[in-house]
Amino acid sequence: METVSYFAIILGSILVNNVVLSQFLGICPFLGVSSKVETSLGMGAAVTFVMSLTAVVAWCIQTYVLAPLGIEYMQTIVFILVIAALVQMVEIILKKVSPSLYQALGIFLPLITTNCAVLGVAILMIQKEFNLLQSVVYSASTAIGFALALVLFAGIRERLEFEDVPAAMKGTPIALVTAALLAMAFLGFSGLV
């Protein structure tokens, strides 16, 4: 693989190929946790932490275990186990450090385990043949892009609570229309990289 600039990886991951708004991975927490900015920031931080750690562990397992043994077909199962273990660690840490954030995230914290964005990034970094540093930069940038989309969407949803929205559009319908408009807005970044 030819060398990819770190700037291109960062810009591409956050804006151009935003994991939620362009690749449509991680929609469940995007819609579920995005009703308050504070909760969205917490979820974004938790996903960033898990995704960055997953990049290091998954890259090492792929490079030093799966590829040498010729069992790359086990990649998905192994990566799911890695993600589950890391999410459990984050859950234990959050419960001790920030009980209010732990309570606010509720069921969505364990759902990071099944967040297809985390698994998708782990698999994509291997498919793109990134080295360890590129993998960490890619994963962290993708997680920051996820958090950015989450916080922007939460801010818009908070603002919509005070607006005069037709009764038929309140709740989920206006949230879906807003998400679509936000995705179209991010499509404008596609000419950058």
Side-chain angles (χ1 to χ4, degrees):
M1 183 190 128
E2 68 182 56
T3 306
V4 179
S5 93
Y6 290 100
F7 180 72
I9 292 172
I10 293 167
L11 193 61
S13 300
I14 294 174
L15 298 176
V16 179
N17 293 315
N18 186 287
V19 71
V20 176
L21 300 173
S22 294
Q23 298 176 3
F24 305 108
L25 296 173
I27 295 292
C28 177
F30 176 70
L31 292 173
V33 182
S34 62
S35 56
K36 302 250 182 273
V37 171
E38 182 181 337
T39 309
S40 297
L41 282 169
M43 178 59 112
V47 168
T48 301
F49 183 73
V50 169
M51 212 178 271
S52 299
L53 277 179
T54 299
V56 173
V57 175
W59 187 88
C60 290
I61 288 173
Q62 177 72 24
T63 303
Y64 298 116
V65 178
L66 299 178
L69 294 175
I71 55 172
E72 291 92 347
Y73 59 89
M74 296 290 293
Q75 181 184 68
T76 303
I77 294 169
V78 171
F79 288 178
I80 288 172
L81 292 173
V82 165
I83 293 165
L86 291 173
V87 168
Q88 286 299 312
M89 184 179 73
V90 167
E91 193 170 358
I92 291 167
I93 291 170
L94 269 182
K95 194 172 187 178
K96 290 282 187 193
V97 173
S98 180
S100 61
L101 180 58
Y102 173 78
Q103 200 69 9
L105 291 175
I107 188 66
F108 293 102
L109 189 57
L111 286 178
I112 294 175
T113 304
T114 59
N115 185 344
C116 56
V118 179
L119 179 60
V121 168
I123 291 172
L124 283 171
M125 70 178 194
I126 301 299
Q127 287 178 349
K128 293 175 186 260
E129 298 178 0
F130 286 153
N131 63 34
L132 180 59
L133 184 57
Q134 288 172 327
S135 296
V136 171
V137 168
Y138 175 70
S139 296
S141 299
T142 301
I144 290 167
F146 176 83
L148 175 68
L150 206 63
V151 170
L152 283 173
F153 189 55
I156 294 169
R157 285 181 75 180
E158 280 184 358
R159 176 76 192 244
L160 281 173
E161 288 180 19
F162 302 109
E163 298 300 323
D164 187 28
V165 177
M169 290 297 290
K170 286 190 181 204
T172 304
I174 195 68
L176 293 175
V177 168
T178 304
L181 291 172
L182 192 57
M184 288 176 18
F186 267 67
L187 192 61
F189 293 117
S190 62
L192 291 176
V193 177

